Amino acid sequence: MKLLIVEDDASTGAYLSKGLGESGYVVDQADNGVDALHMALEHHYDLIVLDVMLPGIDGWQVLEVLRGKQDVPVLFLTARDRLDDRIRGLELGADDYLVKPFSFTELLLRIRTILRRGVVREVEHFHLADLEMDVLRRRVTRQQHNIPLTNKEFALLHLFLRREGEVLSRALIASEVWDMNFDSDTNVVDVAVKRLRAKIDHDWPVRLIHTVRGIGYVCEVRTCDVP
């Protein structure tokens, strides 16, 4: 499990990183809202521990942007202890709200509880134009025609649908689908995307996967492609 700790106080951030690392989690850390948002959008995290009062953009704004793009679990860990702050955090879509000073044991238990819930929250069905993906049954169709995919092709399409409308770099795709660092000398991502396109795009009038020159790919319906 990989966590992102967003905390501008260096000693608290180090304490959290050390404690959660010793508890078995892989931990990344950001000390301001801008870096936190960039890391959250570029990398996959199973949960984010987010402070509210941050340099750059605050935790409220970070969560607002995140909730428009992804459903990563977020736990606010903040000194703001007023009732209206707690309500605001939860209304913005936080999964939990813990006030400083805090017990590390309580924080750890809350993180574990959220992560258990996170499996249930996982989206099981995706729809884009006439394409449908049933994640649990590992079934993909367009216009109700079944499209057999290999495991990697399914994982690649699942990534595109989870991040619909986002431009995904080849490095991010390689990391998420193959769990590897991208080597610019290899074309494994381009070959896999070509094969996926041949199965889900070539025989249908609305193309879903588009090349973004010099960066990677984006999955979306473009108005000009709709007949």
Side-chain angles (χ1 to χ4, degrees):
M1 291 285 186
K2 189 173 182 180
L3 310 183
L4 175 61
I5 307 299
V6 187
E7 171 59 62
D8 64 327
D9 181 79
S11 60
T12 302
Y15 172 71
L16 289 170
S17 294
K18 183 174 184 294
L20 292 171
E22 290 174 347
S23 300
Y25 297 104
V26 176
V27 179
D28 285 345
Q29 188 177 339
D31 61 6
N32 64 79
V34 175
D35 287 349
L37 188 56
H38 175 76
M39 293 169 71
L41 294 176
E42 286 295 316
H43 304 284
H44 170 77
Y45 293 101
D46 296 289
L47 183 142
I48 298 173
V49 178
L50 181 61
D51 196 0
V52 173
M53 294 175 285
L54 295 167
I57 57 177
D58 63 30
W60 307 132
Q61 295 170 294
V62 171
L63 183 56
E64 278 188 293
V65 175
L66 282 178
R67 281 294 171 263
K69 296 178 178 293
Q70 54 179 257
D71 199 30
V72 58
V74 171
L75 183 153
F76 271 122
L77 181 62
T78 174
R80 299 181 66 139
D81 60 352
R82 298 191 320 180
L83 179 59
D84 55 351
D85 287 326
R86 299 182 191 211
I87 291 172
R88 181 180 181 186
L90 295 173
E91 285 183 338
L92 284 172
D95 295 81
D96 204 348
Y97 194 105
L98 185 59
V99 174
K100 300 173 183 173
F102 62 98
S103 154
F104 182 80
T105 300
E106 181 181 3
L107 172 66
L108 188 59
L109 290 174
R110 290 188 183 216
I111 287 174
R112 288 173 176 168
T113 299
I114 294 171
L115 290 174
R116 282 198 299 271
R117 283 194 218 128
V119 174
V120 177
R121 285 153 48 98
E122 189 76 23
V123 176
E124 298 172 354
H125 296 87
F126 293 88
H127 304 268
L128 183 61
D130 53 7
L131 182 142
E132 296 189 21
M133 170 181 275
D134 184 331
V135 178
L136 292 181
R137 293 178 175 81
R138 300 190 69 77
R139 186 167 185 262
V140 174
T141 63
R142 284 200 77 168
Q143 296 181 4
Q144 300 183 337
H145 293 284
N146 188 47
I147 304 174
L149 298 179
T150 66
N151 287 337
K152 287 301 182 188
E153 289 165 352
F154 190 92
L156 180 57
L157 180 59
H158 190 202
L159 172 64
F160 279 135
L161 292 174
R162 283 189 283 117
R163 307 285 289 268
E164 177 194 340
E166 294 181 42
V167 177
L168 305 182
S169 67
R170 290 176 175 81
L172 184 145
I173 293 171
S175 173
E176 293 281 333
V177 177
W178 284 270
D179 194 23
M180 58 179 264
N181 293 323
F182 180 67
D183 183 345
S184 59
D185 292 333
T186 69
N187 61 350
V188 61
V189 172
D190 296 322
V191 170
V193 170
K194 181 179 179 181
R195 288 176 176 166
L196 181 61
R197 278 172 158 163
K199 293 185 177 181
I200 71 159
D201 259 354
H202 286 180
D203 294 333
W204 281 269
V206 179
R207 302 295 173 89
L208 302 178
I209 300 175
H210 309 274
T211 302
V212 179
R213 190 179 298 276
I215 301 178
Y217 299 93
V218 60
C219 182
E220 62 185 2
V221 175
R222 293 183 172 175
T223 306
C224 59
D225 292 334
V226 177

